[in-house]
Amino acid sequence: MGALLAALSAAAAMPVLQAGQAPQLVAEAAGKEARPAVLHFWATWCEACRDEFPALRPGLLKLPARGVGVLLVSIDPPGDRQKAQQMLAHYRLQALPAVLLDAPDPEPVLRAVGEPKWDGTLPATFVFDAEGKLRKSFVGRADPAALETAIRSVTR
């Protein structure tokens, strides 16, 4: 019962950020220390996101214990925050930090991530080194093995 309450309170805590806060996402994922980070962009309406979550789940859940920050970034409208929280709960990902980014204009988000080839396609996963430099991008579904290789390259 305690685990369920903790999960529900974690899910209820999904903050809503404005698009102008996008430049802070990598620092938010990394936390207080300089460490590698993974940003994963998704949305409840994204079929590919729903297909991808089960494959990425095991690796994503292990990242904090490996010293890698992770942030799940929903780009749903703020009114769909509960749906986003429910989706994370459905895929048992509510233990990971998550935010809802209110970005009706994706341009500030695209600039903040620093991947010139990203046009806002979802899902999208970005791997940053401990200095916050983008090292690998996965636009569309990420292959879990390729994502693992990218993470290993920034944790050596």
Side-chain angles (χ1 to χ4, degrees):
M1 182 72 160
L4 176 61
L5 290 175
L8 289 173
S9 65
M14 180 187 278
V16 176
L17 303 179
Q18 300 305 308
Q21 294 173 284
Q24 301 164 10
L25 291 174
V26 176
E28 180 78 23
K32 293 181 176 132
E33 305 171 19
R35 64 181 177 157
V38 173
L39 293 182
H40 180 72
F41 289 82
W42 60 283
T44 58
W45 46 262
C46 169
E47 187 69 36
C49 299
R50 287 191 293 274
D51 291 345
E52 181 187 54
F53 265 150
L56 293 186
R57 181 183 179 278
L60 290 174
L61 288 172
K62 292 176 184 172
L63 291 178
R66 294 172 61 190
V68 177
V70 62
L71 185 62
L72 305 177
V73 184
S74 167
I75 61 154
D76 286 289
D80 288 345
R81 181 167 97 167
Q82 185 173 0
K83 283 172 48 178
Q85 292 171 170
Q86 289 170 343
M87 187 167 161
L88 290 179
H90 175 77
Y91 291 107
R92 298 184 325 270
L93 288 164
Q94 67 271 32
L96 295 175
V99 298
L100 190 144
L101 186 63
D102 183 17
D105 174 12
E107 201 56 40
V109 181
L110 303 179
R111 280 195 312 272
V113 168
E115 171 53 83
K117 296 177 185 169
W118 187 38
D119 61 1
T121 298
L122 294 178
T125 307
F126 303 97
V127 179
F128 296 85
D129 65 18
E131 287 76 44
K133 182 174 180 179
L134 179 63
R135 292 299 180 177
K136 184 70 177 170
S137 301
F138 299 89
V139 177
R141 290 181 184 102
D143 173 65
L147 179 58
E148 174 59 28
T149 299
I151 292 166
R152 267 195 249 121
S153 76
V154 297
T155 56
R156 292 183 185 153

